[in-house]
Structure formats: structure tokens, C-alpha cells
């Protein structure tokens, strides 16, 4: 009697082969996503010297990558319609090899200086010409490899969506490792070469995946009976997928813009919401989701109500609570939206079309929040708009207690009329009461929306309308003690705050004060005569002392001064008759705001004929004649997103070349988040310049006269005049072991660490 082991049918893949297939496909999808996301900050940093360091550059870059992702998904969808598997595999591998020939990455030399307008479209074109082909090839890999996986005969082939989690884990890892590991340690050139090597490795992995697919049994990938009978997704279903992908994609950019503008601008803050966004994709496409979708649908109305409350309260009452609250609520909303996508995903035969819809939705959301909104709105209006639209992402519901819900629209309309009618008079006891209790009123309406969704199981349109009412109330009853007006451009939102009784007008970019002017004296009388520079530019501060010292040292003829950064126009009133002051700024909206006498009168009163040069100062200032300026003031580092390319050895070399004999460079480096004094001292030393550092608290913050951090650099001690002997200025040597910033290397995280370690 003999025992015969059961044989594996010839058309059935072995267990060892299945393990190999799963390992290779997982590795290829993970590596592709890792490269896809790491190239985004890498190449964005490469183009910084061409456009600047605004947070909006990241938003536009994100829109570009999302748009090209759509193109890659559409290409994968079309290629998978080819019935001959060998042809499809060969075409894609050939595309990858062709893209490899264009590496390492390089910024296209066919693009000149950016234009004075339409920065966003210029940047999109630069990205497309410089990085379009390799990114396009990468973008196609996720849906392409999943479609191939279906055809390998692997047991999990009929439902390959779990591989999407692997893709997003790779994206998540790339996102976190870049600012923590790669940027502080490696130069851009080294990063570029490592990325190119990774791209070559990926081609090998994908070729292996293609080979495994081609060697699969002929029956592999043939739809099961129930799958083949499944109807193709309807147009309404595809539109729903697009909408469900668009809302969280737009919210990602909107919540980042809101936090940076109204809560707590800080370097690398965009990492937090983007990390959560990627995490939601990982969680919802797991075979066994860690957070059940029904939980997220229950929590979503509460998250929307939570953001309504946070918007009503304002941004600066409790920083950690507000920052964490916005992030947590965004996570829940994104989980609900992406969970709906996972729940309604189609059979594997329609996989590539599903991913095209997801990508198209992501692109639309990014376009709305990243490109259209900065031009359409003067404030971050896209955040409440997308928050309201999130209510429409809920699935259809059968309402409870129909006898109550049928009166809902009438009751909501009456409530809206009662609460909004007082705004037409903008006065009266009712308006004052509503304005004083705005948090409770708007919050109550937000809670009503949550109760409608959870208790009544009300339709999503009723929840949507209730959320809209709450958000309109927040806008109609402002929270600020003074008046706030906003101006918005590609480079961010500028707020002009008028303090109570109109004593000061304050210019803010995000949460950073960029200038202020005193309009009324303490007794309420108007300030007469030439405006006095305040904030960082007071005559007793570092910048004021540096100007006075250079002016005294030179004597006659009058000074020739270049200023990079207009702000509120404060430094125009630091000039004296006969002197030549020339200003440079990248943002026309900032210049227009400074010129408008209803906001500030520095320019009108002191330099009415000044015509700032608009454009990136790294490019525009480089065109100035050499050896003409007695004083160059670089005032561009006080925001959370600093223009790194203006603080490198190459940038300092440009400044030095424009200095007259005995000329001086003054760098204003006051910054709440970044320690930049040592950076400036280092790049100055690399250009054979000596540096003196000023850091002193004025103790007059209530007068809008702030402490300043200033570095003065010159060829010789005599060039800085009396500053060299002042006990308030310290001649400073470069920090041992600290690597200088160049166009090829910078370390934002190191500057953040030094600020945290040594304080302000």
C-alpha cells in the first residue's frame, strides 16, 4: 500500500510562486510610491531658486503631481485594454527605460526668469518639461501593477486593492524620511543620484513583475462568473467616486492653508495633514480595516461640528488644542470619504477605471484649493466650502421620524432668517448679542447638523444646509476685537488688522507680523507728520542702528540702499532726503497693500515715487549693476516659510558683488521657529565677510516695537562704523561643524532644532 501525495494542477500556481508574486509586486508598488513621493520635495527644492519659498509653491507642485498622476492612471487604463499582455508589459517597461535616460533630474534650462504674473502656470510648465516623463511613468505603476497582479493567478488576485495600502505606506515613509533623514544629511546632488539609482532598481522589479504575469497560466486573471456578470460602473457611480476623492484632496490643501494662515504657521507644518491624508488611504484599503467604516460615518458629523466650533472660536486661544482639533477632524472626514470609496470599489476588471476616477477627483480638489481659490477669494474660503461639501459625502439615508423631518426645511429657514436678519443693520442689541455669543450660536448650529445626521438620520442635503448656515454665521459675526481685512495672492493671505479704536494698523502674513503703523496717539489724537518706523524697524533696533551707523560712516555723498522685501513699506521712512532707496519684492499684492493709504501711509509720506522691482529677488537683484550699493537690507526671513535660496553662499556672493567699496549687508533674521543667525554668519564667512550679530528685546511689544535679530556683514571692521565697538553688537565666527547652506544643501530641521534648543 502506498501513499500518493495530491499533485498540484498544472494550471494552478504553486504556493512558493504565490509567495514570490506577492513579495515582488508588493516591493515594486512600495518602491514606486517611495520614489513618487520623495521626488516631490526633492524637485520642489531644486526649483526654489527660480520661484521662491512660499507655501503656495508646495500647493501648486501638489496640483501638478496630482494632474500628472491622472495622466499616468489614464495611460495605465488604456494600456490594460490591450489584449496581448506581452505588448502591454513591453510598452510600459520601454517607457520606464526611456524616462531613465532623462535622469538624473535637472531643472530645464529652456525656462528663463519667472514672469511677473501667472507664477502658478509658469511653475506648472517648468515641472512638466523638467520632470514630466519620469513622474508620468511612475504615476502609472500603482494601477498597472495591480491590474497585472490580477493576471498572475495569485489567490488574492480577484481583490487586489490591498496593494494600494502598500503604495500609501511607501508614500508615507517617503514623506517622513525626507525632512528628517535625506534633507539634513545629503546634498541635492546626492539625493538626485540616489533617486536615479532607485528608479533603475524599480525598472528591474517591474520587469520581474511583468515576467511573472506573462508566465502565469492562461486562465489566470479571467473574471469569475459573478465578476463577469457584474455590470460596468454607471456614470453616476463614477461621478460619485470623483466627488468622494475631490473633497478630501481639496481639504488637505485647505486645512494646511488655514492652519498656516490663522493658527500656527511653522516650518514643515504641511507634513501633518498630508501624513494623515496618506494614512487614511492605508487604513481604508486594508483587508480588515483597523477603524470600521461605520464608526467613521458616525464620527464624521461630529468632526464637521468640531471644525465649526474651532472656526468660531478662532485660531490662537489654545494653540495645541486648535491645531490638534483641526488635524483630528480632518482625519475623520477623510476616513469617511475614502471609506466610502473603498466600500463602493468595483470588481478587479474595472480597477484601472476606478483609479482614474480617484485621480481625477484628487486633481479637481487640488486645482480648486491650490490654484483657483488663491485668486478667487481674499481669505481661505475654500476651507469652509469644502467642509460643507464633506456633508454630501455621506451615503444616502432613510430618515427616522418622518413626521419631524418633514418640517426640518421650514424650521431651518426660519432659524436662518432670525439669525442673519440682524446683520443687515450691523448694529442693535440683537446684533451685539449674536456677535458676543457667536461661538455658542454657530457651535449650536453645528451640533444641530450632527444631531440631524445621527439622531434623525437626516438626508445629507439637510446636514449640508445646516453646516452652511453655521459657517455663514461665523463669517457674518467676526471674532476679532478690531477690524480685519484680507488680501490674497499666490504667495499667501495678508491680513490687515486695525486694533480697537484704530490706533494701529498691523500687517500680518499668516500669523507673522510684517509691519505696523501708529495712526492715533494714546490720547486719541491723530499722529501728525512723517510716520515713525516701528515693529522691527525702529531707530533704536538692530536695523535702525545699522542704517544710522553706515550713514554716519559714509557721510557724503548720500547713501544708495537696496531693500529686499517691502512689507508695510516701513523702511521707506528710514530714508533721508537725497538718498537713493530701491525696493525688491516678489509679491505685487504686498506692494499694493503697502501703497494703499487706507492701510499704511509710509510710502505716500516718505517715498511716494518709489517703484519696487517685482519678481524673485534672487533673479531681479542679480541684474543690478555691480559695486553700487552702500547698504543692502535683506528682510525676507521672518515668516514660517523662508526663501532658502536667499540665504545661501551663492546668494551672499550676489549681495557682495553689488556692494560698493565699504558696503554692508544687513540681514534681518528675526524668526520664531528658525535660528538663522549662524546660517548667515556661515555664508558670509564663505564669501570672506566678517559678521556682527545683534539680538536684543526692546521690551516695548505693547507699542508694536519688537525685539530684532540682525546680522551685519562687511569686508572690514571699519565698514560697519560704530557698530564694531558697540556692546550691543557681537562679532561672531562661524559655528564649528555646522554645514553652510548652499543651493545644493540646506537644513531647515537643524534651524528648527537650534531655535528649540537655544530659544529666541
Amino acid at each position: 500500500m502506498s501513499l500518493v501525495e495530491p499533485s498540484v494542477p498544472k494550471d494552478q500556481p504553486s504556493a512558493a510562486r504565490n509567495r514570490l508574486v506577492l513579495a515582488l509586486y508588493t516591493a515594486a508598488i512600495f518602491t514606486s510610491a517611495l520614489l513618487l513621493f520623495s521626488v516631490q520635495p526633492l524637485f520642489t527644492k531644486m526649483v526654489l531658486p527660480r520661484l521662491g519659498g512660499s507655501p503656495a509653491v508646495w500647493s501648486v507642485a501638489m496640483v501638478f503631481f496630482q494632474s500628472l498622476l491622472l495622466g499616468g492612471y489614464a495611460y495605465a487604463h488604456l494600456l490594460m485594454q490591450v489584449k496581448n499582455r506581452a505588448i502591454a508589459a513591453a510598452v510600459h517597461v520601454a517607457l520606464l527605460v526611456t524616462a531613465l535616460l532623462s535622469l538624473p533630474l535637472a531643472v530645464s534650462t529652456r525656462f528663463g526668469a519667472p514672469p511677473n504674473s501667472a507664477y502658478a502656470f509658469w511653475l506648472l510648465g517648468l515641472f512638466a518639461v523638467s520632470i514630466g516623463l519620469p513622474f508620468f511613468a511612475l504615476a502609472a505603476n500603482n494601477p498597472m501593477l495591480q491590474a497585472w497582479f490580477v493576471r498572475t493567478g495569485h489567490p488574492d488576485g480577484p481583490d487586489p486593492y490591498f496593494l494600494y495600502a502598500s503604495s500609501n505606506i511607501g508614500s508615507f515613509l517617503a514623506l517622513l524620511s525626507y525632512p528628517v533623514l535625506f534633507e539634513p544629511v545629503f546634498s541635492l546632488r546626492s539625493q538626485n543620484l540616489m533617486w536615479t539609482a532607485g528608479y533603475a532598481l524599480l525598472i528591474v522589479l517591474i520587469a520581474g513583475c511583468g515576467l511573472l504575469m506573462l508566465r502565469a497560466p492562461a486562465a489566470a486573471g479571467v473574471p469569475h462568473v459573478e465578476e463577469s456578470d457584474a455590470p460596468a460602473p454607471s456614470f453616476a457611480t463614477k461621478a460619485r467616486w470623483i466627488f468622494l476623492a475631490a473633497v478630501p484632496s481639496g481639504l488637505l490643501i485647505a486645512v494646511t492653508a488655514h492652519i498656516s494662515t490663522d493658527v500656527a504657521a511653522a516650518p514643515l507644518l504641511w507634513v501633518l495633514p498630508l501624513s494623515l491624508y496618506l494614512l487614511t488611504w492605508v487604513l481604508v484599503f486594508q483587508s480588515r480595516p483597523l477603524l470600521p467604516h461605520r464608526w467613521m460615518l458616525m464620527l464624521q458629523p461630529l468632526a464637521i461640528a468640531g471644525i465649526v466650533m474651532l472656526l468660531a472660536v478662532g485660531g490662537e486661544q489654545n494653540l495645541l488644542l486648535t491645531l490638534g482639533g483641526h488635524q483630528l477632524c480632518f482625519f475623520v472626514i477623510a476616513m469617511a470619504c475614502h471609506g466610502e470609496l473603498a466600500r463602493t470599489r468595483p470588481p478587479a476588471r474595472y480597477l484601472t477605471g476606478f483609479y482614474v476616477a480617484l485621480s481625477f477627483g484628487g486633481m479637481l480638489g487640488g486645482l480648486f484649493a491650490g490654484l483657483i481659490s488663491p485668486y478667487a477669494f481674499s481669505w481661505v474660503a475654500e476651507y469652509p466650502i469644502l467642509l460643507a461639501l464633506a456633508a454630501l459625502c455621506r451615503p444616502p439615508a432613510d430618515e427616522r421620524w418622518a413626521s419631524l423631518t418633514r418640517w426640518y426645511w421650514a424650521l431651518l429657514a426660519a432659524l436662518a432668517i432670525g439669525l442673519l436678519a440682524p446683520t443687515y443693520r450691523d448694529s442693535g442689541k440683537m446684533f451685539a448679542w449674536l456677535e458676543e455669543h457667536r461661538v455658542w450660536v454657530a457651535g449650536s448650529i453645528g451640533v444641530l447638523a450632527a444631531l440631524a445626521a445621527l439622531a434623525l438620520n437626516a438626508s445629507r442635503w439637510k446636514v449640508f444646509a445646516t453646516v452652511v448656515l453655521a459657517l455663514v454665521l461665523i463669517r457674518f459675526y467676526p471674532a476679532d476685537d478690531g477690524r480685519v481685512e484680507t488680501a490674497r495672492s499666490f504667495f499667501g493671505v495678508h491680513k490687515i488688522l486695525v486694533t480697537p479704536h484704530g490706533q494701529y494698523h498691523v500687517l500680518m502674513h499668516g500669523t507673522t507680523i510684517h509691519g505696523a503703523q501708529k495712526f492715533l496717539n494714546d490720547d486719541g489724537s491723530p499722529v501728525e507728520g512723517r510716520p515713525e518706523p516701528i515693529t522691527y524697524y525702529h531707530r533704536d533696533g538692530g536695523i535702525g542702528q545699522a542704517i544710522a551707523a553706515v550713514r554716519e560712516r559714509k557721510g557724503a555723498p548720500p547713501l544708495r540702499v537696496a531693500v529686499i522685501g517691502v512689507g508695510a513699506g516701513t523702511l521707506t521712512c528710514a530714508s533721508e532726503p537725497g538718498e537713493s532707496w530701491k525696493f525688491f519684492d516678489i509679491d505685487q499684492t504686498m506692494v499694493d497693500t503697502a501703497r494703499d493709504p487706507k492701510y499704511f501711509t509710509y510710502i505716500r509720506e516718505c517715498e511716494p515715487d518709489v517703484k519696487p522691482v517685482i519678481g524673485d529677488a534672487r533673479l531681479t537683484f542679480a541684474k543690478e549693476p555691480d559695486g553700487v550699493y552702500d547698504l543692502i537690507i535683506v528682510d525676507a526671513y521672518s515668516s514660517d516659510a523662508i526663501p532658502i535660496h536667499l540665504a545661501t553662499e551663492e546668494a551672499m556672493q550676489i549681495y557682495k558683488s553689488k556692494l560698493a567699496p565699504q558696503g554692508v549687508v544687513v540681514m534681518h533674521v528675526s524668526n520664531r521657529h528658525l535660528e538663522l543667525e549662524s546660517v548667515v554668519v556661515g555664508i558670509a564667512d564663505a564669501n570672506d565677510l566678517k559678521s556682527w550679530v545683534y539680538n536684543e528685546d526692546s521690551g516695548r511689544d505693547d507699542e508694536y516695537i519688537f525685539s530684532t535679530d540682525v546680522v551685519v556683514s562687511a569686508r572690514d571692521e571699519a565698514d560697519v562704523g560704530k557698530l564694531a565697538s558697540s556692546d550691543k553688537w557681537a562679532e561672531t565666527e562661524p559655528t564649528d561643524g555646522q554645514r553652510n547652506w548652499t543651493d545644493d544643501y540646506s537644513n531647515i530641521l537643524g534651524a528648527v532644532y537650534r531655535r528649540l534648543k537655544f530659544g529666541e
Side-chain angles (χ1 to χ4, degrees), residues 7 42 54 61 68 91 277 311 413 439 441 535 634 682 684 711 740 749:
S7 61
L42 167 61
S54 166
L68 212 58
V91 167
Y277 177 81
L311 292 175
V439 174
V441 173
T535 61
V634 185
V711 181
N740 284 346
L749 206 62

Side-chain angles (χ1 to χ4, degrees), residues 49-62:
R50 308 292 292 273
L51 193 67
S54 166
V57 173
W58 173 255
S59 295
V60 173
M62 187 182 298

Side-chain angles (χ1 to χ4, degrees), residues 460-747:
R460 54 197 176 201
W461 286 103
K462 290 175 181 176
V463 178
F464 167 76
T466 310
V467 173
V468 168
L469 175 59
L471 295 169
V472 169
L473 288 171
I474 293 172
R475 187 65 180 170
F476 277 32
Y477 296 101
D480 303 281
D481 293 332
R483 300 194 317 273
V484 175
E485 294 191 41
T486 55
R488 190 173 185 182
S489 74
F490 175 66
F491 295 95
V493 179
H494 312 302
K495 293 186 291 187
I496 302 92
L497 169 67
V498 179
T499 61
H501 312 298
Q503 186 172 19
Y504 292 93
H505 290 194
V506 184
L507 176 66
M508 304 182 71
H509 187 188
T511 55
T512 302
I513 293 176
H514 279 263
Q517 183 176 346
K518 187 175 183 178
F519 279 79
L520 298 177
N521 295 308
D522 293 341
D523 60 5
S525 61
V527 173
E528 302 289 346
R530 185 182 177 95
E532 179 186 20
I534 55 175
T535 61
Y536 313 102
Y537 314 103
H538 192 261
R539 62 177 179 270
D540 295 332
I543 296 175
Q545 291 183 33
I547 294 171
V550 174
R551 182 179 287 136
E552 179 183 315
R553 189 265 307 154
K554 184 180 182 186
L559 289 178
R560 294 194 65 177
V561 182
V563 181
I564 296 175
V566 171
T570 313
L571 281 175
T572 58
C573 289
S575 64
E576 289 191 354
E579 294 180 345
S580 172
W581 286 60
K582 190 169 185 177
F583 288 79
F584 301 79
D585 204 287
I586 196 171
D587 193 351
Q588 181 66 54
T589 303
M590 182 74 88
V591 174
D592 294 341
T593 301
R595 277 192 178 280
D596 193 334
K598 78 174 181 180
Y599 299 136
F600 305 100
T601 63
Y602 287 119
I603 292 179
R604 186 188 69 181
E605 298 296 332
C606 301
E607 293 283 347
D609 298 325
V610 70
K611 295 180 179 179
V613 178
I614 302 299
D616 188 280
R618 175 69 181 266
L619 302 176
T620 57
F621 191 63
K623 297 176 183 177
E624 292 296 296
D626 291 344
V628 298
Y629 288 108
D630 303 300
L631 183 62
I632 297 172
I633 301 174
V634 185
D635 181 25
Y637 304 113
S638 52
S639 288
D640 61 295
I642 65 168
I644 293 172
H645 63 298
L646 296 183
T648 63
E649 290 183 7
E650 293 85 350
M652 184 61 82
Q653 184 179 19
I654 294 174
Y655 307 148
K656 181 182 178 182
S657 69
K658 308 304 174 185
L659 288 177
Q662 294 188 295
V664 172
V665 178
V666 175
M667 306 277 271
H668 178 208
V669 292
S670 302
N671 193 293
R672 292 174 295 172
H673 309 290
L674 305 169
E675 186 283 312
L676 298 172
E677 293 96 328
S678 62
V679 173
V680 174
V681 171
I683 64 174
D685 180 73
N687 283 279
D688 298 320
L689 298 176
K690 298 179 179 180
S691 296
W692 290 261
V693 175
Y694 174 93
N695 186 328
E696 185 168 307
D697 189 348
S698 67
R700 301 169 65 182
D701 287 1
D702 57 332
E703 302 175 59
Y704 285 92
I705 297 174
F706 304 137
S707 60
T708 52
D709 297 340
V710 180
V711 181
V712 167
S713 301
R715 298 181 182 93
D716 193 72
E717 181 178 306
D719 299 342
V720 299
K722 62 184 180 183
L723 297 185
S725 58
S726 171
D727 58 0
K728 295 182 179 180
W729 292 81
E731 184 173 359
T732 307
E733 297 295 327
T735 304
D736 290 338
Q738 183 170 312
R739 192 171 175 182
N740 284 346
W741 287 14
T742 67
D743 287 349
D744 193 51
Y745 173 83
S746 59
N747 184 1

Side-chain angles (χ1 to χ4, degrees), residues 315-332:
E316 299 180 4
Q317 275 66 25
N318 187 314
L319 186 59
L320 291 178
L321 177 63
T322 304
L323 186 61
H326 281 285
Q327 308 282 345
L328 178 61
C329 292
F330 165 71
F331 173 75
V332 171

